[in-house]
Amino acid sequence: MGLGILGWIVIGIVAGWLAEQVMGRNHGLLTNLIVGVVGALLGGFIAGNLLDIPVGGFNLMTLLVAFLGACLLLFLVGLVKRKT
């Protein structure tokens, strides 16, 4: 069962907020949503294509993959910001 738009928003906000807490950042709700959804796409790509881990649906594995992808995204953005 896939996620609807509401599911993506919920997973995105939660994953973005968790990543923000772990990475020591301070963003707003909209930024958390964007970071979480983009992180979910990044994490889903890595999990599905590179690690061959199936991810889908509204469950803990999806949240974990989205969270890890959001942390990776924040880390990469931090590297780019530091170099400029």
Side-chain angles (χ1 to χ4, degrees):
M1 177 172 190
L3 288 177
I5 188 71
L6 186 58
W8 276 106
I9 290 171
V10 170
I11 291 286
I13 290 172
V14 172
W17 181 81
L18 287 172
E20 171 184 273
Q21 300 304 306
V22 169
M23 299 299 287
R25 307 287 166 77
N26 188 17
H27 302 119
L29 184 65
L30 182 60
T31 303
N32 286 345
L33 170 63
I34 294 167
V35 166
V37 170
V38 172
L41 293 171
L42 178 63
F45 174 80
I46 291 170
N49 293 322
L50 302 178
L51 302 175
D52 202 27
I53 300 171
V55 178
F58 195 78
N59 55 39
L60 188 59
M61 181 58 96
T62 302
L63 180 59
L64 179 65
V65 167
F67 163 71
L68 292 173
C71 286
L72 177 61
L73 178 65
L74 288 176
F75 174 75
L76 294 173
V77 168
L79 285 178
V80 169
K81 280 184 147 179
R82 192 176 321 150
K83 291 196 184 250
T84 58

